[in-house]
PDB file of all heavy atoms in Angstrom:
ATOM      1  N   VAL D   5      25.442 -51.070 -41.000  1.00 98.00           N
ATOM      2  CA  VAL D   5      25.156 -50.227 -42.162  1.00 98.00           C
ATOM      3  C   VAL D   5      25.828 -48.888 -41.894  1.00 98.00           C
ATOM      4  O   VAL D   5      25.508 -48.224 -40.899  1.00 98.00           O
ATOM      5  CB  VAL D   5      23.630 -50.025 -42.345  1.00 98.00           C
ATOM      6  CG1 VAL D   5      23.335 -49.126 -43.541  1.00 98.00           C
ATOM      7  CG2 VAL D   5      22.922 -51.363 -42.484  1.00 98.00           C
ATOM      8  N   ALA D   6      26.765 -48.519 -42.750  1.00 98.00           N
ATOM      9  CA  ALA D   6      27.500 -47.267 -42.531  1.00 98.00           C
ATOM     10  C   ALA D   6      27.342 -46.368 -43.752  1.00 98.00           C
ATOM     11  O   ALA D   6      27.594 -46.791 -44.879  1.00 98.00           O
ATOM     12  CB  ALA D   6      28.980 -47.564 -42.293  1.00 98.00           C
ATOM     13  N   ILE D   7      26.893 -45.136 -43.506  1.00 97.00           N
ATOM     14  CA  ILE D   7      26.787 -44.158 -44.595  1.00 97.00           C
ATOM     15  C   ILE D   7      28.029 -43.282 -44.513  1.00 97.00           C
ATOM     16  O   ILE D   7      28.267 -42.641 -43.487  1.00 97.00           O
ATOM     17  CB  ILE D   7      25.505 -43.328 -44.466  1.00 97.00           C
ATOM     18  CG1 ILE D   7      24.297 -44.268 -44.452  1.00 97.00           C
ATOM     19  CG2 ILE D   7      25.380 -42.330 -45.624  1.00 97.00           C
ATOM     20  CD1 ILE D   7      23.114 -43.751 -43.709  1.00 97.00           C
ATOM     21  N   VAL D   8      28.821 -43.323 -45.578  1.00 97.00           N
ATOM     22  CA  VAL D   8      30.117 -42.637 -45.573  1.00 97.00           C
ATOM     23  C   VAL D   8      30.221 -41.743 -46.801  1.00 97.00           C
ATOM     24  O   VAL D   8      29.402 -41.832 -47.723  1.00 97.00           O
ATOM     25  CB  VAL D   8      31.293 -43.650 -45.535  1.00 97.00           C
ATOM     26  CG1 VAL D   8      31.141 -44.626 -44.380  1.00 97.00           C
ATOM     27  CG2 VAL D   8      31.424 -44.411 -46.846  1.00 97.00           C
ATOM     28  N   GLN D   9      31.247 -40.915 -46.812  1.00 95.00           N
ATOM     29  CA  GLN D   9      31.444 -40.061 -47.988  1.00 95.00           C
ATOM     30  C   GLN D   9      32.119 -40.855 -49.100  1.00 95.00           C
ATOM     31  O   GLN D   9      32.959 -41.718 -48.841  1.00 95.00           O
ATOM     32  CB  GLN D   9      32.280 -38.854 -47.602  1.00 95.00           C
ATOM     33  CG  GLN D   9      31.539 -37.943 -46.631  1.00 95.00           C
ATOM     34  CD  GLN D   9      32.419 -36.826 -46.149  1.00 95.00           C
ATOM     35  OE1 GLN D   9      32.707 -35.892 -46.889  1.00 95.00           O
ATOM     36  NE2 GLN D   9      32.872 -36.926 -44.921  1.00 95.00           N
ATOM     37  N   ASP D  10      31.766 -40.499 -50.342  1.00 95.00           N
ATOM     38  CA  ASP D  10      32.323 -41.210 -51.490  1.00 95.00           C
ATOM     39  C   ASP D  10      33.853 -41.230 -51.456  1.00 95.00           C
ATOM     40  O   ASP D  10      34.475 -42.234 -51.795  1.00 95.00           O
ATOM     41  CB  ASP D  10      31.873 -40.546 -52.806  1.00 95.00           C
ATOM     42  CG  ASP D  10      30.378 -40.720 -53.058  1.00 95.00           C
ATOM     43  OD1 ASP D  10      29.771 -41.586 -52.401  1.00 95.00           O
ATOM     44  OD2 ASP D  10      29.832 -39.983 -53.890  1.00 95.00           O
ATOM     45  N   GLN D  11      34.461 -40.111 -51.032  1.00 94.00           N
ATOM     46  CA  GLN D  11      35.932 -39.999 -51.023  1.00 94.00           C
ATOM     47  C   GLN D  11      36.588 -41.036 -50.123  1.00 94.00           C
ATOM     48  O   GLN D  11      37.745 -41.386 -50.319  1.00 94.00           O
ATOM     49  CB  GLN D  11      36.388 -38.613 -50.529  1.00 94.00           C
ATOM     50  CG  GLN D  11      35.946 -37.445 -51.380  1.00 94.00           C
ATOM     51  CD  GLN D  11      34.740 -36.755 -50.766  1.00 94.00           C
ATOM     52  OE1 GLN D  11      33.710 -37.404 -50.574  1.00 94.00           O
ATOM     53  NE2 GLN D  11      34.826 -35.485 -50.492  1.00 94.00           N
ATOM     54  N   ASP D  12      35.860 -41.515 -49.100  1.00 96.00           N
ATOM     55  CA  ASP D  12      36.445 -42.469 -48.148  1.00 96.00           C
ATOM     56  C   ASP D  12      36.140 -43.920 -48.506  1.00 96.00           C
ATOM     57  O   ASP D  12      36.684 -44.847 -47.903  1.00 96.00           O
ATOM     58  CB  ASP D  12      35.893 -42.211 -46.737  1.00 96.00           C
ATOM     59  CG  ASP D  12      36.312 -40.861 -46.190  1.00 96.00           C
ATOM     60  OD1 ASP D  12      37.439 -40.428 -46.489  1.00 96.00           O
ATOM     61  OD2 ASP D  12      35.516 -40.245 -45.466  1.00 96.00           O
ATOM     62  N   SER D  13      35.242 -44.121 -49.475  1.00 97.00           N
ATOM     63  CA  SER D  13      34.666 -45.453 -49.624  1.00 97.00           C
ATOM     64  C   SER D  13      35.670 -46.511 -50.102  1.00 97.00           C
ATOM     65  O   SER D  13      35.663 -47.640 -49.610  1.00 97.00           O
ATOM     66  CB  SER D  13      33.448 -45.412 -50.544  1.00 97.00           C
ATOM     67  OG  SER D  13      33.836 -45.062 -51.836  1.00 97.00           O
ATOM     68  N   GLN D  14      36.553 -46.133 -51.062  1.00 97.00           N
ATOM     69  CA  GLN D  14      37.453 -47.156 -51.601  1.00 97.00           C
ATOM     70  C   GLN D  14      38.457 -47.638 -50.553  1.00 97.00           C
ATOM     71  O   GLN D  14      38.704 -48.828 -50.391  1.00 97.00           O
ATOM     72  CB  GLN D  14      38.177 -46.616 -52.840  1.00 97.00           C
ATOM     73  CG  GLN D  14      38.747 -47.705 -53.738  1.00 97.00           C
ATOM     74  CD  GLN D  14      37.700 -48.773 -54.098  1.00 97.00           C
ATOM     75  OE1 GLN D  14      36.625 -48.459 -54.596  1.00 97.00           O
ATOM     76  NE2 GLN D  14      38.000 -50.041 -53.825  1.00 97.00           N
ATOM     77  N   LYS D  15      38.999 -46.641 -49.805  1.00 97.00           N
ATOM     78  CA  LYS D  15      39.969 -46.962 -48.754  1.00 97.00           C
ATOM     79  C   LYS D  15      39.303 -47.845 -47.682  1.00 97.00           C
ATOM     80  O   LYS D  15      39.885 -48.821 -47.200  1.00 97.00           O
ATOM     81  CB  LYS D  15      40.450 -45.645 -48.127  1.00 97.00           C
ATOM     82  CG  LYS D  15      41.789 -45.721 -47.451  1.00 97.00           C
ATOM     83  CD  LYS D  15      42.392 -44.346 -47.194  1.00 97.00           C
ATOM     84  CE  LYS D  15      41.505 -43.505 -46.296  1.00 97.00           C
ATOM     85  NZ  LYS D  15      42.177 -42.845 -45.178  1.00 97.00           N
ATOM     86  N   LEU D  16      38.066 -47.501 -47.349  1.00 98.00           N
ATOM     87  CA  LEU D  16      37.345 -48.261 -46.326  1.00 98.00           C
ATOM     88  C   LEU D  16      37.074 -49.691 -46.796  1.00 98.00           C
ATOM     89  O   LEU D  16      37.291 -50.660 -46.054  1.00 98.00           O
ATOM     90  CB  LEU D  16      36.029 -47.547 -45.997  1.00 98.00           C
ATOM     91  CG  LEU D  16      35.093 -48.275 -45.038  1.00 98.00           C
ATOM     92  CD1 LEU D  16      35.773 -48.545 -43.696  1.00 98.00           C
ATOM     93  CD2 LEU D  16      33.815 -47.471 -44.820  1.00 98.00           C
ATOM     94  N   LEU D  17      36.640 -49.825 -48.052  1.00 98.00           N
ATOM     95  CA  LEU D  17      36.369 -51.142 -48.614  1.00 98.00           C
ATOM     96  C   LEU D  17      37.631 -52.008 -48.587  1.00 98.00           C
ATOM     97  O   LEU D  17      37.588 -53.186 -48.202  1.00 98.00           O
ATOM     98  CB  LEU D  17      35.911 -50.964 -50.059  1.00 98.00           C
ATOM     99  CG  LEU D  17      34.686 -51.737 -50.490  1.00 98.00           C
ATOM    100  CD1 LEU D  17      33.470 -51.307 -49.723  1.00 98.00           C
ATOM    101  CD2 LEU D  17      34.437 -51.536 -51.976  1.00 98.00           C
ATOM    102  N   ASN D  18      38.768 -51.415 -48.991  1.00 98.00           N
ATOM    103  CA  ASN D  18      40.033 -52.154 -48.980  1.00 98.00           C
ATOM    104  C   ASN D  18      40.403 -52.596 -47.576  1.00 98.00           C
ATOM    105  O   ASN D  18      40.812 -53.741 -47.364  1.00 98.00           O
ATOM    106  CB  ASN D  18      41.161 -51.296 -49.567  1.00 98.00           C
ATOM    107  CG  ASN D  18      40.984 -51.064 -51.051  1.00 98.00           C
ATOM    108  OD1 ASN D  18      40.251 -51.786 -51.717  1.00 98.00           O
ATOM    109  ND2 ASN D  18      41.624 -50.037 -51.581  1.00 98.00           N
ATOM    110  N   ALA D  19      40.254 -51.687 -46.617  1.00 98.00           N
ATOM    111  CA  ALA D  19      40.639 -52.013 -45.234  1.00 98.00           C
ATOM    112  C   ALA D  19      39.751 -53.141 -44.686  1.00 98.00           C
ATOM    113  O   ALA D  19      40.235 -54.054 -44.005  1.00 98.00           O
ATOM    114  CB  ALA D  19      40.544 -50.776 -44.355  1.00 98.00           C
ATOM    115  N   LEU D  20      38.463 -53.094 -44.993  1.00 98.00           N
ATOM    116  CA  LEU D  20      37.553 -54.137 -44.483  1.00 98.00           C
ATOM    117  C   LEU D  20      37.849 -55.493 -45.132  1.00 98.00           C
ATOM    118  O   LEU D  20      37.893 -56.519 -44.448  1.00 98.00           O
ATOM    119  CB  LEU D  20      36.097 -53.729 -44.746  1.00 98.00           C
ATOM    120  CG  LEU D  20      35.556 -52.598 -43.853  1.00 98.00           C
ATOM    121  CD1 LEU D  20      34.250 -52.044 -44.414  1.00 98.00           C
ATOM    122  CD2 LEU D  20      35.343 -53.082 -42.423  1.00 98.00           C
ATOM    123  N   THR D  21      38.079 -55.489 -46.437  1.00 98.00           N
ATOM    124  CA  THR D  21      38.343 -56.773 -47.106  1.00 98.00           C
ATOM    125  C   THR D  21      39.726 -57.309 -46.714  1.00 98.00           C
ATOM    126  O   THR D  21      39.908 -58.514 -46.589  1.00 98.00           O
ATOM    127  CB  THR D  21      38.188 -56.680 -48.640  1.00 98.00           C
ATOM    128  OG1 THR D  21      38.932 -55.564 -49.105  1.00 98.00           O
ATOM    129  CG2 THR D  21      36.760 -56.506 -49.061  1.00 98.00           C
ATOM    130  N   ASP D  22      40.698 -56.409 -46.473  1.00 98.00           N
ATOM    131  CA  ASP D  22      42.015 -56.862 -45.998  1.00 98.00           C
ATOM    132  C   ASP D  22      41.880 -57.596 -44.666  1.00 98.00           C
ATOM    133  O   ASP D  22      42.673 -58.479 -44.343  1.00 98.00           O
ATOM    134  CB  ASP D  22      42.962 -55.667 -45.788  1.00 98.00           C
ATOM    135  CG  ASP D  22      43.485 -55.125 -47.112  1.00 98.00           C
ATOM    136  OD1 ASP D  22      43.244 -55.751 -48.153  1.00 98.00           O
ATOM    137  OD2 ASP D  22      44.116 -54.045 -47.093  1.00 98.00           O
ATOM    138  N   ASP D  23      40.902 -57.197 -43.858  1.00 98.00           N
ATOM    139  CA  ASP D  23      40.674 -57.849 -42.565  1.00 98.00           C
ATOM    140  C   ASP D  23      39.676 -59.017 -42.681  1.00 98.00           C
ATOM    141  O   ASP D  23      39.114 -59.445 -41.681  1.00 98.00           O
ATOM    142  CB  ASP D  23      40.152 -56.820 -41.551  1.00 98.00           C
ATOM    143  CG  ASP D  23      41.158 -56.505 -40.475  1.00 98.00           C
ATOM    144  OD1 ASP D  23      42.351 -56.419 -40.799  1.00 98.00           O
ATOM    145  OD2 ASP D  23      40.755 -56.365 -39.298  1.00 98.00           O
ATOM    146  N   GLN D  24      39.421 -59.469 -43.905  1.00 98.00           N
ATOM    147  CA  GLN D  24      38.571 -60.639 -44.189  1.00 98.00           C
ATOM    148  C   GLN D  24      37.088 -60.411 -43.913  1.00 98.00           C
ATOM    149  O   GLN D  24      36.337 -61.365 -43.739  1.00 98.00           O
ATOM    150  CB  GLN D  24      39.023 -61.894 -43.376  1.00 98.00           C
ATOM    151  CG  GLN D  24      40.508 -62.190 -43.385  1.00 98.00           C
ATOM    152  CD  GLN D  24      41.086 -62.326 -44.801  1.00 98.00           C
ATOM    153  OE1 GLN D  24      40.440 -62.883 -45.674  1.00 98.00           O
ATOM    154  NE2 GLN D  24      42.267 -61.783 -45.011  1.00 98.00           N
ATOM    155  N   PHE D  25      36.636 -59.130 -43.850  1.00 98.00           N
ATOM    156  CA  PHE D  25      35.203 -58.905 -43.703  1.00 98.00           C
ATOM    157  C   PHE D  25      34.545 -58.952 -45.071  1.00 98.00           C
ATOM    158  O   PHE D  25      35.158 -58.588 -46.075  1.00 98.00           O
ATOM    159  CB  PHE D  25      34.929 -57.542 -43.032  1.00 98.00           C
ATOM    160  CG  PHE D  25      35.278 -57.533 -41.581  1.00 98.00           C
ATOM    161  CD1 PHE D  25      36.429 -56.897 -41.125  1.00 98.00           C
ATOM    162  CD2 PHE D  25      34.472 -58.196 -40.661  1.00 98.00           C
ATOM    163  CE1 PHE D  25      36.769 -56.907 -39.786  1.00 98.00           C
ATOM    164  CE2 PHE D  25      34.810 -58.221 -39.318  1.00 98.00           C
ATOM    165  CZ  PHE D  25      35.956 -57.575 -38.883  1.00 98.00           C
ATOM    166  N   ARG D  26      33.306 -59.424 -45.083  1.00 98.00           N
ATOM    167  CA  ARG D  26      32.541 -59.447 -46.341  1.00 98.00           C
ATOM    168  C   ARG D  26      31.695 -58.185 -46.393  1.00 98.00           C
ATOM    169  O   ARG D  26      31.018 -57.834 -45.423  1.00 98.00           O
ATOM    170  CB  ARG D  26      31.701 -60.716 -46.398  1.00 98.00           C
ATOM    171  CG  ARG D  26      32.625 -61.931 -46.510  1.00 98.00           C
ATOM    172  CD  ARG D  26      31.876 -63.214 -46.365  1.00 98.00           C
ATOM    173  NE  ARG D  26      30.997 -63.440 -47.504  1.00 98.00           N
ATOM    174  CZ  ARG D  26      30.274 -64.538 -47.646  1.00 98.00           C
ATOM    175  NH1 ARG D  26      30.326 -65.498 -46.727  1.00 98.00           N
ATOM    176  NH2 ARG D  26      29.513 -64.695 -48.694  1.00 98.00           N
ATOM    177  N   VAL D  27      31.764 -57.491 -47.526  1.00 98.00           N
ATOM    178  CA  VAL D  27      31.236 -56.121 -47.613  1.00 98.00           C
ATOM    179  C   VAL D  27      30.413 -55.940 -48.882  1.00 98.00           C
ATOM    180  O   VAL D  27      30.767 -56.479 -49.938  1.00 98.00           O
ATOM    181  CB  VAL D  27      32.417 -55.113 -47.698  1.00 98.00           C
ATOM    182  CG1 VAL D  27      31.913 -53.697 -47.603  1.00 98.00           C
ATOM    183  CG2 VAL D  27      33.460 -55.377 -46.652  1.00 98.00           C
ATOM    184  N   THR D  28      29.359 -55.154 -48.777  1.00 98.00           N
ATOM    185  CA  THR D  28      28.635 -54.700 -49.970  1.00 98.00           C
ATOM    186  C   THR D  28      28.604 -53.180 -49.977  1.00 98.00           C
ATOM    187  O   THR D  28      28.348 -52.559 -48.935  1.00 98.00           O
ATOM    188  CB  THR D  28      27.188 -55.246 -49.983  1.00 98.00           C
ATOM    189  OG1 THR D  28      27.253 -56.656 -50.057  1.00 98.00           O
ATOM    190  CG2 THR D  28      26.404 -54.718 -51.170  1.00 98.00           C
ATOM    191  N   LYS D  29      28.891 -52.618 -51.139  1.00 98.00           N
ATOM    192  CA  LYS D  29      28.895 -51.156 -51.283  1.00 98.00           C
ATOM    193  C   LYS D  29      27.705 -50.742 -52.151  1.00 98.00           C
ATOM    194  O   LYS D  29      27.503 -51.306 -53.225  1.00 98.00           O
ATOM    195  CB  LYS D  29      30.208 -50.759 -51.958  1.00 98.00           C
ATOM    196  CG  LYS D  29      30.321 -49.310 -52.313  1.00 98.00           C
ATOM    197  CD  LYS D  29      31.595 -49.070 -53.126  1.00 98.00           C
ATOM    198  CE  LYS D  29      31.568 -47.688 -53.737  1.00 98.00           C
ATOM    199  NZ  LYS D  29      32.657 -47.448 -54.665  1.00 98.00           N
TER     200      LYS D  29
END
Side-chain angles (χ1 to χ4, degrees):
V5 179
I7 303 152
V8 307
Q9 294 174 73
D10 292 344
Q11 298 100 301
D12 295 325
S13 65
Q14 200 51 54
K15 203 164 60 132
L16 175 59
L17 227 63
N18 291 341
L20 287 166
T21 50
D22 284 352
D23 250 39
Q24 313 305 321
F25 288 105
R26 293 171 68 177
V27 188
T28 297
K29 174 187 168 188

